[in-house]
Structure formats: structure tokens, C-alpha cells
Amino acid sequence: MSYQVLARKWRPQTFDAVVGQDAITRTLRNALASGRIAHAYLFAGPRGIGKTTTARLLARALLCLDRKGPEPCGKCAVCVEGQAGTLVDVIEIDGASNRGIEEIRTLRENVKYTPARGRFKVYIIDEVHQLTEAAFNALLKTLEEPPPHIVFVLATTDPRDIPPTVLSRVQRFDFRPIAPDALRDSLERILAAEQIPFDAGALPVIVRAAEGSLRDALSLLDTAIAYGNGKLEAETAAKLLGATAPVAVRTFVAAVIGHETGVALEAIDRAARDGEDLLAFARDVIELLRLTLVLKAAPNAKPAELTHSEGNELRKLGEAVSLDEILYALRALLEADALMRESPHPRVELEIATVRATRRPVPQALEDVLKRVDEAQREAAGAAGAGGRAEARRRSAARASAAGTVHAVDGGPDRAGEPLAGGRGGAARRDAARASARSRGTACASSERLAAARPGAVGRRRSRDGVGARGRRGHAEETDARRRADAGAAERGQRPRADRRAGRQQFPSRDARRRREQGSRHAGRSALGRWRRALQGRVRG
């Protein structure tokens, strides 16, 4: 017997064996158990996640003669032919190669015939979005009201290309990509059943490359086993898939986190020399940094992509740095991943991001910052206190000196309670005070003598002095006000008051000119009248 690939050999034969589509299989099983079978279904989703397999299981369950529940019996002639793919009442049509209106016309003619055995005839149209618009329009009537023995199952990877008129006539089921843990469990079960030795570190590489597709995972697994000569190893699987080995990715991430620029750049150089895809290398690094970030932010988290031992290693890796540093490195590599797709030098972009990540600024803890702020405040307060005390001593000394002078003039003691008469300085201050007192006494005496001789003179002089002082004060205030007005005018972009006055005199307004001319004419008429009257008087005389 010829070899059968794992993807075909391990195709699910029951609804329970379908991986990662529990909601859909449960709905179909309940519909089969209750007899609520629709006339048309639409299975939409990415490649390799079980759309066609589920459609075949539904067809077998509808055609099985000995079915007791929702699952086909798997023993009757219909089930045997269904497993072999030779069942006449299940017609599979490839929509990519049978997309014209002629094929749909043929289908409309064939649906009139009853099934060869059983109660239903099932049409499975794969990649139905490839049909032309005319073919969809020709199928609408049959799809809406088919014969009672016909069930349509449409499968597509792009439901957006299907007209809304078709979508409204079917029951739609959206298949989701299979979770990584479910993929890994399926691969482990298949490897154990096939008795193939495998390295547990190779499975995450295959799961990441499969991108949620079980068929892709099984195809990659088959290729890796053949490459490893019947064994599955992490290094051989990574080399086969063009990816970097998990150990090398973990070493690079550890170098980035540990600020080891040289080690990280050497890892990039080694990946480039080995012919590895640097974009895939960057994606693997980003994924590992993301997991490290998740485990750092939520230590109790259990990512599905990691085993228990791998999770502990990443937790230990993230203990040496803060959350902000991991965020900085992850952001730098995300930007590099976007730039590498468009740059003609992707290696340079990756190396720049690596240097940025390894030479990132180390954030200071909040407690250290607050401690430094407190110390700076204490130092500033101490300096201000010392300056205040020096200023107080200076002011006190000045007050003491002034008080000593007053006491010396009054003949009293100084600040310390000791007389100032002693010493050369005390004698000088005493002579200056006596001279000042004599001058004040002489001025007072002269004023009293003048008041006695001329009582009104002193009063007039005092009043005149007072008026003059007030006049001088008023003139000073007016001058200050004028200066402030000129300064404000200059700030507003206007000319000063004196300049405006000069301008008015040089360029008088129309009204001012009219008044001046009228005054001149009036003055002329008055002089002419006086001369006329004088002449008339002379003539009369």
C-alpha cells in the first residue's frame, strides 16, 4: 500500500474529532438530532481549518442509513463509500474551475433527479466565491427553493466576494483559526500514535509556521519528519522552515534585555550568514518579547503558546528589567519590523533597532526620584536659612550702629549699655552732635527774632514758600503724567503728545484754518473802519 500523508490519514471521521470548531460542530449535531436540517449552508474561514471536512461529515450523517444520533455509524455501505470518497449522492464541485453560467445550468438540471440511495443528495461547492456574477444569479432560484431532497453546502475562504442575495439564502458558519495549544495537542497525539520520536521544542516552531491551520501543520510535520530521517528535532525543523532556532531567539532576547549590544549584533550576523529570513527572525523576537511582557505584567498568566518550563524561563528573564524597558525594546523592534518590509536594507533596520533597544535609557524608580527631590529641598532650605541668618546679623549690626549714634547725641549708653564718651570715636561723635545742636539753636533764635521784629514777614514767607512748594510738586506731577502718557502712546505706536501738538501747528485742520482766516478778516475790517472814521473826522474838522 502506498504512503498516505498525515493530513489525509488523520482527517476527522466524526464531529468530535474536528479540532477547534466546537460551536459549529455542536450546532450541526443538535440540528441532526432534532431533524432541523437547512437546505443550504455556508462554511467560511481560512484554509485548512475543517470546512470541507465538516461538509463531508454533514453529508455522511444525512445519508447514513443506520445513524442513531448525530454521528454517522461508520459501518454501513454509505459510510464506507463516504470514507473512500466514492459516494454518488455527494457531489463536490470546485468553484474555481466550474465558475461559469453553463456549469450552473447543468447543476440546475441535475438537482431534479432523486438520490441513488438514501434520502438526500448533497452538493458541496468549494471556493464558491470564484463563481461569476451571472453564475450566482442563475443559482439564486435553485438555492432559495431547491427540491426537498437537495442540500447545498458552500465553502469559501473569502465570504466578502459572495453577493448579499446569496448570503441571505444560507445558514452561515464562520470557522476560526485553530488555537496554538489545540494544534500542539493534536500534533503530539498524532506523533505518539505514529510512534515518531520528537523534540518538544520543535512543535512551537511548526505551530507558529502553521498560523492556525491544522492541515498546514500536518504538512509541515510530514516534511520535517522526512528531513530528520524519521525524527523531529527543533534545530532541523527550524532550519527546514527557514526560521531561527528557539534557543538562538532566546539568546538574542536575553542580550537585548541585558544591554549586551555586541552579543545581539552577533546573533543577527549569524542568522544572516546562515541564510535565515530576517523578517521571520524579527517576528520570532517580537513574539518572545511579547510573551515576556505578558508574564512580567501578569505573573500568573498562562499563555497557550508556552509550556510550563518555557513560561518559567521567560519569567526569570524578565525579572532583571522593568516593565518600561521591555516596552521600549518591544516598540523599537515593532517599528523595525514595519520598516524592514519596505526598506531595501532590512538588516540595517534590524541592527539599528537592536542598538536602540540595548542602549535604551534606564528608567529610575519613583522612590529614588522622590528621595532626590527631598534631599534637594533640604539643601535649598539650609542654604536659605544660612543666608537669612547672615542678613539678620547684618541688619542687627546696622540697627546697633544707628542706635549707638542716637545714644551718643542724647548722652545715653550704647547697645551694650556702655557710654560712648570713651575713646577717639566717641569724642568725635560727641563734638559732631554738639555742633549740630548749636546750629539748630542758632536757626531757631534767628527765626524768633525775625518774627518779633516783622510779624507778617515770616508768615508771608512761609505761605509763599508753601505755595511754591505746592506749585513745584504740581508741576513735577504734571511732568510725570505727561511722560507716562508719551510712553503709553509710544507703546501703542502713536506719536508723543509734543509731536502731535507740533504736527497740528505745522499742519492745522480745516476747522482751525477756517477760524484763523475768519479772525484775520475780522481784524482787517476793524482796522479799516478805524482808519475810515479817523479820516472822516479830519475832513469834518
Side-chain angles (χ1 to χ4, degrees), residues 333-344:
L333 287 167
L334 281 172
E335 294 176 358
D337 181 67
L339 294 173
M340 289 170 66
R341 301 174 187 274
E342 302 176 358
S343 175

Side-chain angles (χ1 to χ4, degrees), residues 29 121 127 219 259 351 490 537:
R29 292 175 63 184
K121 180 182 287 188
E127 299 298 333
S219 299
H259 299 272
E351 289 174 343

Side-chain angles (χ1 to χ4, degrees), residues 420-438:
L420 296 175
R424 183 179 302 174
R429 286 195 294 272
R430 184 169 60 253
D431 294 341
R434 288 175 180 173
S436 177
R438 283 197 300 271

Side-chain angles (χ1 to χ4, degrees), residues 150-180:
I150 296 297
V151 174
F152 286 102
V153 181
L154 312 179
T156 179
T157 56
D158 195 356
R160 295 171 296 182
D161 290 345
I162 300 178
T165 52
V166 175
L167 296 176
S168 63
R169 288 168 166 81
V170 298
Q171 284 190 11
R172 177 174 174 173
F173 293 92
D174 289 314
F175 286 68
R176 307 297 181 187
I178 303 174

Side-chain angles (χ1 to χ4, degrees), residues 119-140:
R119 296 170 294 173
F120 294 99
K121 180 182 287 188
V122 181
Y123 281 86
I124 301 175
I125 305 179
D126 203 0
E127 299 298 333
V128 68
H129 64 275
Q130 300 281 359
L131 297 181
T132 63
E133 183 179 359
F136 273 122
N137 293 332
L139 184 62
L140 285 179

